[in-house]
Amino acid sequence: MSHDEYLGMRRFPGLDGLRAIAATIVIFFHFAGPKFTWLSGWVGVYVFFVLSGFLITTLLLREQDRTGRISLGEFYLRRVFRILPPYLVILGGIIAFVLLRGEFLARDFPHALKYYLSFLNEFFPGSDGNGSDNFFSGSWTLGIEEKFYLFWPFLLVAVGIGAARRKFGLAIAAMAVLLVLVPVTTGGWVLDDSKTAIYRSSLHYFILLSGCLLAIVAHYRRSFAVLRPLTHPLAAVPIVAGFLLLHTNLDTLWNDTRQNVLLLVGYTGATMALLVVLLSPGPARWLLSTAPMRFVGERSYSLYLLQGPVHFAVIQAVPQLAEQRFLSALTVFVVDLAISDLIHRWVEQPMIRTGKRLIARRHARTGRKTAQPAAEEPRVEAAVG
């Protein structure tokens, strides 16, 4: 794939399929029982972090190329109308559910809401697995991404228009600082088998920035030459095989080697290479661009956030499924996807269109022409894990 072909892509359909797979494996990892630990569903969060960093930065860079500037106001307006409506609808539904069951206090919601409504989700004590299950603890990933979105666009604007080297330097310097801070924010380089000890770690921002770095490398012609060999169809074979080998063994490696940070950094690099493959023409992109993959991927935001309450409701409705773990996970997936589809159709898409209309009106008032986005904006702000 040439650099011109890459810049000419209006959307990245293979990435919808990647979201679909990540959201699906997390459900089966959580609910299908110990036979499915090889899915390493908890690590899907890092796939989404790399994805989000890449897509957000690509949109900002292409906006800068088209208009000569990055509009922070429009960026945040788009984020508000994409993120908040499904988030608040799902959180509101969970609150109504626990109120009807008389469990609002027992599930610590008076305390939890202070974190959930300020996007400090990862700092809520219940998010580390030690508190009461309130069906929303998985939203810790939203807290991390929203704080990242708050600062990263400002930094891109600060380094100036067309400053490719400064953008590279910014991303690499920020990643280095965040990596150095890992022992401070995590409690050490070795996490003693815990996957929740890193919820507050600077490592998450390092991984988000890796996606940003990939977007910067891909955006400029000279640096794209480094990625071009990976866009050849034959390159997909070792990259996809290597990624799958690492992913399916990550849970075992995490427990056996205790090289936790090194493993996650390596997994991040493998995910970056996988993204290049899925951007490029070939069987992998075709497979992940099929209609079923796109359908699930476009609904994976709600699919992830709803998995806890849907699982609880399914087991309450059919207690026998508690013993049939795979069938339980399959039922949760189907019911969850059906509800997510309703939210996608009746909440997410209408609010996204509302945000676009508001931006168009702003342009009309200022005499600016509303440009079409050069790449599809990510519909999924939440990660999965």
Side-chain angles (χ1 to χ4, degrees):
M1 182 173 65
S2 70
H3 185 245
D4 289 335
E5 288 173 328
Y6 167 72
L7 291 182
M9 295 175 69
R10 288 281 304 278
R11 60 190 303 272
F12 305 129
L15 302 189
D16 279 331
L18 185 60
R19 288 195 286 245
I21 292 173
T24 301
I25 64 172
V26 73
I27 291 174
F28 281 85
F29 177 79
H30 282 159
F31 305 125
K35 291 182 180 180
F36 288 85
T37 56
W38 60 271
L39 287 174
S40 302
W42 61 274
V43 83
V45 63
Y46 304 111
V47 173
F48 269 81
F49 281 166
V50 176
L51 253 175
S52 292
F54 171 78
L55 288 168
I56 287 296
T57 305
T58 297
L59 287 165
L60 292 171
L61 292 174
R62 292 187 177 188
E63 178 187 355
Q64 191 176 70
D65 281 356
R66 290 194 314 273
T67 66
R69 62 192 288 269
I70 293 174
S71 172
L72 294 176
E74 291 178 11
F75 173 82
Y76 292 120
L77 193 61
R78 289 193 298 267
R79 300 276 67 74
V80 165
F81 278 91
R82 285 181 178 273
I83 299 165
L84 285 184
Y87 181 89
L88 293 176
V89 165
I90 292 170
L91 178 58
I94 291 172
I95 291 171
F97 180 70
V98 298
L99 282 171
L100 288 172
R101 291 180 56 85
E103 297 175 350
F104 188 75
L105 295 177
R107 294 188 182 274
D108 204 18
F109 262 100
H111 185 212
L113 283 177
K114 293 184 292 186
Y115 294 89
Y116 293 157
L117 295 177
S118 60
F119 284 104
L120 296 171
N121 311 51
E122 74 272 29
F123 294 104
F124 175 53
S127 295
D128 61 9
N130 297 320
S132 299
D133 179 14
N134 60 23
F135 308 124
F136 207 60
S137 59
S139 66
W140 65 272
T141 57
L142 268 293
I144 289 169
E145 289 203 20
E146 301 326 301
K147 286 187 283 294
F148 177 78
Y149 293 155
L150 193 62
F151 293 105
W152 175 244
F154 276 105
L155 294 175
L156 275 184
V157 170
V159 299
I161 296 174
R165 290 184 180 179
R166 277 181 280 171
K167 290 184 176 73
F168 288 125
L170 171 66
I172 292 170
M175 290 172 70
V177 170
L178 291 167
L179 199 58
V180 169
L181 289 175
V182 166
V184 178
T185 57
T186 308
W189 292 103
V190 178
L191 306 178
D192 293 325
D193 300 340
S194 173
K195 302 179 184 72
T196 58
I198 57 173
Y199 280 0
R200 303 171 183 88
S201 175
S202 62
L203 186 62
H204 295 126
Y205 298 98
F206 169 90
I207 295 172
L208 277 158
L209 277 168
S210 71
C212 301
L213 179 63
L214 177 61
I216 295 168
V217 171
H219 186 73
Y220 295 100
R221 187 175 301 274
R222 290 181 64 183
S223 52
F224 182 85
V226 176
L227 301 178
R228 188 166 184 179
L230 303 182
T231 68
H232 192 282
L234 292 179
V237 177
I239 290 173
V240 172
F243 177 85
L244 291 175
L245 184 64
L246 177 60
H247 180 90
T248 54
N249 287 280
L250 198 62
D251 210 59
T252 301
L253 292 170
W254 182 279
N255 295 325
D256 292 349
T257 69
R258 303 180 79 226
Q259 299 296 322
N260 312 129
V261 174
L262 183 61
L263 280 172
L264 291 180
V265 171
Y267 186 82
T268 299
T271 303
M272 293 169 70
L274 181 66
L275 257 62
V276 177
V277 167
L278 296 180
L279 294 172
S280 313
R285 189 177 83 175
W286 174 84
L287 178 63
L288 269 67
S289 301
T290 55
M293 287 289 191
R294 293 200 313 271
F295 183 89
V296 177
E298 290 171 356
R299 291 149 182 82
S300 54
Y301 181 9
S302 298
L303 193 68
Y304 169 67
L305 288 178
L306 284 166
Q307 60 177 308
V310 169
H311 177 257
F312 181 84
V314 164
I315 298 302
Q316 290 292 305
V318 189
Q320 296 88 340
L321 287 176
E323 302 300 324
Q324 302 292 327
R325 299 290 296 275
F326 177 78
L327 187 58
S328 170
L330 184 60
T331 305
V332 168
F333 175 78
V334 172
V335 174
D336 192 348
L337 185 60
I339 300 172
S340 297
D341 182 53
L342 294 176
I343 293 174
H344 178 75
R345 293 174 186 270
W346 297 103
V347 178
E348 192 172 354
Q349 287 300 298
M351 295 308 294
I352 288 172
R353 289 193 292 268
T354 299
K356 289 180 177 179
R357 284 196 296 269
L358 289 175
I359 291 174
R361 288 174 187 171
R362 288 184 59 181
H363 289 183
R365 286 197 300 269
T366 60
R368 288 176 58 201
K369 182 180 178 181
T370 301
Q372 293 296 319
E376 181 185 63
E377 291 190 58
R379 294 187 177 91
V380 182
E381 313 306 332
V384 291

